[in-house]
Amino acid sequence: MNARTLPTKPATHRVWIALTALCAALVVSLGLARSASAAPAWPVIGNGSTGDNVTTAQYLLRDHGYDISVDSDFGPATENTVVAFQRSRGFAADGVIGAQTWPGLIVTVREGDSGDAVAAAQTALNKHGYGLAVDGQFGPATASAATSFQSANGLAVDGIVGPQTWQSLLGSGGGDDGGGCVVPAEPDPEVLGIVYRTGVELGVSDKVLLAGFEAGVVESNMNNLDCGDRDSLGVFQQRPSQGWGTPEQIMDVSYASNAFFTPAIEVAANNPDLTAGQVAQAVQVSAYPDRYDAAEATARQLIERARELNG
């Protein structure tokens, strides 16, 4: 989840698009993009930890042949399984997954692969907002998310989730060890319905509606979150400190949807060549602009689900 800039008047959104591109160019030209050599440290998780990294580790343990439940909760059963895995590899058998155990636990996966290791990679990518179905199938959507993450994090862009990509996925982002904002695995049907109805009432185009759902998938998996990065809140992770409204307003899904769709309508009208994801980026001004288009398939499925919910 990302910090937000101050919402602007509709006429200025073309300027924001140009500024976003300029900032990205400056980051590259000044050498500020994170390189693979600056990857975050492997996280340390153990008994009592919760969240996406625990889920990822449980899927990976399953891929190594261990019969373990995937429940995002690092309890005694997970600890005992980790000890067994560590002993099988000659590691210190302390039941804690850290810098020694992760490299032995991860499995390189790529397009065409399937199984629990792919589900682990999808879970790790979703921690960064990609909104993938965790189905254990490494298809085009997962490949697109992997390349998007690699591009945004200064890694080799090959779509393969290998050691460096794994380390960056696991060592950064929120939602772990009980201290972050945990995003539910399933979208909230009520949120789906409200966002859809708001778009219809505003008369948005198909592209703008898709932009709204892509943003919702990436930022909250279409859930009305009461937490986020810094003071980010709600389905679109809008920040009160940056002028999106009061916390109470942002937590009103109808208000938040209006706040997204109103400028998105203007952006799309003034820039017809933009994709839905680029429209979403112009409104959200995310540090990871490629994530929105990467969520297109999931967003389209949820639009159909929302349409059914609304009769």
Side-chain angles (χ1 to χ4, degrees):
M1 285 168 270
N2 308 297
R4 298 284 177 265
T5 56
L6 182 68
T8 59
K9 295 180 180 179
T12 66
H13 270 276
R14 283 167 292 177
V15 175
W16 278 115
I17 294 169
L19 285 175
T20 301
L22 177 60
C23 288
L26 285 172
V27 165
V28 173
S29 65
L30 292 174
L32 297 177
R34 190 171 73 192
S35 64
S37 62
W42 291 103
V44 178
I45 57 174
N47 202 332
S49 296
T50 60
D52 293 322
N53 281 351
V54 175
T55 305
T56 300
Q58 289 170 332
Y59 273 124
L60 288 169
L61 286 164
R62 287 181 62 85
D63 193 76
H64 285 281
Y66 294 91
D67 184 11
I68 183 173
S69 298
V70 178
D71 60 6
S72 307
D73 186 0
F74 200 127
T78 300
E79 182 178 31
N80 291 338
T81 304
V82 172
V83 168
F85 173 78
Q86 290 170 326
R87 286 175 176 163
S88 75
R89 294 301 180 97
F91 300 154
D94 57 6
V96 174
I97 303 177
Q100 181 188 56
T101 303
W102 279 117
L105 190 59
I106 60 171
V107 176
T108 296
V109 289
R110 68 196 72 207
E111 190 163 7
D113 289 343
S114 61
D116 286 318
V118 174
Q122 290 168 330
T123 300
L125 285 161
N126 284 350
K127 186 179 75 165
H128 296 270
Y130 286 97
L132 297 167
V134 181
D135 58 7
Q137 301 295 321
F138 202 126
T142 302
S144 177
T147 56
S148 173
F149 177 82
Q150 290 167 334
S151 177
N153 288 270
L155 300 165
V157 181
D158 56 11
I160 299 170
V161 182
Q164 289 184 329
T165 300
W166 271 118
Q167 186 171 353
S168 289
L169 283 168
L170 293 165
S172 60
D176 295 289
D177 304 325
C181 183
V182 179
V183 179
E186 293 295 325
D188 184 334
E190 183 177 358
V191 171
L192 292 177
I194 294 172
V195 175
Y196 179 83
R197 287 196 301 273
T198 303
V200 171
E201 289 166 2
L202 290 172
V204 302
S205 66
D206 289 345
K207 181 189 291 186
V208 171
L209 184 64
L210 179 58
F213 271 73
E214 286 181 357
V217 167
V218 166
E219 302 298 346
S220 68
N221 197 26
M222 296 302 285
N223 286 276
N224 196 27
L225 303 179
D226 62 358
C227 56
D229 176 54
R230 285 171 276 191
D231 60 336
S232 299
L233 294 168
V235 62
F236 299 105
Q237 288 292 282
Q238 295 155 334
R239 296 181 60 194
S241 65
Q242 297 299 322
W244 286 94
T246 66
E248 292 76 15
Q249 287 174 322
I250 292 171
M251 290 299 293
D252 180 330
V253 178
S254 179
Y255 173 95
S257 299
N258 269 284
F260 177 90
F261 283 129
T262 299
I265 291 169
E266 187 72 16
V267 171
N270 291 333
N271 303 274
D273 293 333
L274 292 184
T275 65
Q278 289 169 332
V279 171
Q281 168 63 10
V283 177
Q284 298 291 92
V285 194
S286 168
Y288 304 102
D290 296 333
R291 296 189 303 170
Y292 301 116
D293 275 325
E296 179 179 348
T298 300
R300 288 190 182 278
Q301 292 173 358
L302 293 181
I303 288 172
E304 288 306 311
R305 183 175 168 189
R307 187 174 286 123
E308 293 172 0
L309 289 170
N310 281 277

